[in-house]
Amino acid sequence: SGRVFRAGEVIVPRNTPSFEKEVEALRKQFIYPGVDYRIMSMTDKDGLPIFTTDSIDNDEDRRKVRLALRPCGWKLQQQLWKRDGVTDWPIEVEAGILSTVAESRFDIASGIPRIISAFQRDPKLYTLSLAIALTPIPLALVARSFISFYVIPSASMEPTLLRGDLLLVEKVDTTIKRGDVVLFQPPDTLRDIITNNGSQLSSTSLFVKRVVGLPGDSNISLDDDGNVQINGKSAVGPDRSLCTDEPLRLIDKQLRDGKGKELRALGPSDVYVLGDCKAVSIDSRVWGALPKEKIKGRPIARIWPLSRFKLSLDGQL
């Protein structure tokens, strides 16, 4: 019967042995292995909107569900898609074709297809990464202890960080300040949300957000527009309404049940983090405070693309 799809989910097609025909059929519809696609909406065989294929009892009818797909970050790659002949998104694809070859964005199996696809789209970036990987061993060991690299995978930090940006991240312990962009391991509450949606995380999975609340901050509240107040003031950071990547507003349900929509005070070892794109970011509004021990680093530079190079030793990109 294939896997279950949900509206709003991000999926990654991959080359799957024994399913070459399905992969080729998807290619003809501009759905390529290794590219992140968001399911914008879904309709059953009669054209009626549904939220999940799990709501269809009959296997044959489930295969006929139409998924409206759009690449994540497509606005940043319009020239690429026009070159391939795509004039508009989303594109509708039957669930039956995708069910055997599509993984969740968080699934470990999607990693290699995404790397191959990214190299094909931007060989300069990944040639640079390969050159770094081939650095003489003593230097590489030193670098591994203090710095690492991180590629932005989603739209949750737009417009500050765009999908595909390559960050240089310092891994040494530093004092976290309000406004810092940090990388962290998911707390249990976030991990539960991801696994309950049928996705998987590896032990090395990291997320990136901006610290807006520090230990001891009080009176944290969320208004009807998804904005956060801390200590009676608006949370620090850029205008969080500049991203429109989620027209379905699927974030709204998460916020209604959010663990961080109203907190009396942050504990002595907790911080509150937000994405710079409130329309798509699953952050402390949804899963609550972040233990400081989960923070593993902060970006000190955006090194690719070169047109957006920025050095930020204070951690506030």
Side-chain angles (χ1 to χ4, degrees):
S1 60
R3 58 158 290 173
V4 173
F5 293 103
R6 299 177 178 84
E9 180 184 8
V10 175
I11 59 174
V12 184
R14 63 189 179 100
N15 285 309
T16 305
S18 303
F19 293 101
E20 290 83 359
K21 290 183 179 180
E22 287 81 353
V23 173
E24 184 58 29
L26 290 171
R27 285 184 182 275
K28 291 179 179 179
Q29 298 180 75
F30 310 106
I31 308 300
Y32 301 127
V35 176
D36 292 18
Y37 295 90
R38 185 179 296 278
I39 302 175
M40 305 305 296
S41 61
M42 306 171 62
T43 54
D44 64 15
K45 65 182 180 65
D46 298 317
L48 299 176
I50 60 174
F51 181 74
T52 172
T53 55
D54 211 21
S55 63
I56 307 295
D57 294 330
N58 183 280
D59 285 350
E60 185 60 29
D61 289 345
R62 188 180 297 135
R63 290 180 59 83
K64 293 179 181 178
V65 169
R66 306 285 295 180
L67 311 183
L69 303 182
R70 191 180 74 183
C72 297
W74 71 280
K75 291 182 179 179
L76 306 177
Q77 303 168 353
Q78 290 187 65
Q79 294 304 314
L80 170 67
W81 295 114
K82 286 181 179 178
R83 182 196 67 190
D84 287 354
V86 184
T87 58
D88 198 14
W89 294 98
I91 288 177
E92 290 194 346
V93 178
E94 285 194 352
I97 301 177
L98 276 167
S99 62
T100 53
V101 299
E103 303 290 350
S104 165
R105 176 174 63 183
F106 296 108
D107 197 301
I108 298 173
S110 70
I112 291 179
R114 295 169 81 185
I115 293 172
I116 293 173
S117 173
F119 184 86
Q120 292 171 338
R121 295 197 308 272
D122 197 343
K124 292 181 180 178
L125 168 58
Y126 285 87
T127 299
L128 172 64
S129 300
L130 180 61
I132 291 169
L134 296 177
T135 300
I137 291 177
L139 178 58
L141 290 175
V142 172
R144 184 179 298 177
S145 300
F146 297 100
I147 62 172
S148 63
F149 299 91
Y150 182 82
V151 179
I152 297 298
S154 71
S156 69
M157 284 296 290
E158 290 186 4
T160 305
L161 298 172
L162 306 182
R163 184 175 180 274
D165 282 359
L166 179 63
L167 306 181
L168 182 66
V169 179
E170 69 171 339
K171 298 166 66 174
V172 294
D173 293 333
T174 56
T175 301
I176 300 302
K177 307 185 300 300
R178 195 184 310 274
D180 280 359
V181 175
V182 297
L183 280 81
F184 59 91
Q185 293 178 331
D188 291 340
T189 47
L190 174 54
R191 190 175 290 274
D192 288 344
I193 290 172
I194 293 171
T195 55
N196 288 341
N197 281 322
S199 301
Q200 299 179 25
L201 290 174
S202 73
S203 59
T204 59
S205 294
L206 293 177
F207 292 76
V208 57
K209 304 294 178 192
R210 187 182 300 275
V211 175
V212 299
L214 297 173
D217 282 352
S218 60
N219 300 322
I220 299 174
S221 61
L222 178 69
D223 66 22
D224 293 338
D225 294 323
N227 300 310
V228 174
Q229 296 273 323
I230 300 178
N231 299 327
K233 300 178 181 179
S234 297
V236 300
D239 183 349
R240 292 187 166 87
S241 64
L242 298 180
C243 173
T244 57
D245 196 61
E246 184 48 271
L248 298 180
R249 296 297 305 173
L250 297 175
I251 187 70
D252 291 345
K253 181 180 184 302
Q254 300 272 14
L255 295 179
R256 283 196 297 270
D257 303 325
K259 297 181 181 295
K261 66 179 183 179
E262 189 170 351
L263 298 176
R264 180 174 298 178
L266 291 176
S269 300
D270 292 337
V271 296
Y272 198 95
V273 297
L274 296 177
D276 285 355
C277 178
K278 68 178 182 180
V280 302
S281 180
I282 303 297
D283 46 37
S284 283
R285 298 174 301 170
V286 175
W287 41 263
L290 173 70
K292 289 179 65 178
E293 65 186 26
K294 294 291 186 180
I295 296 175
K296 300 303 176 184
R298 64 177 186 178
I300 55 176
R302 178 174 52 227
I303 63 177
W304 193 269
L306 294 179
S307 61
R308 286 168 39 77
F309 178 86
K310 182 176 182 182
L311 187 63
S312 180
L313 296 178
D314 62 359
Q316 304 202 11
L317 289 170

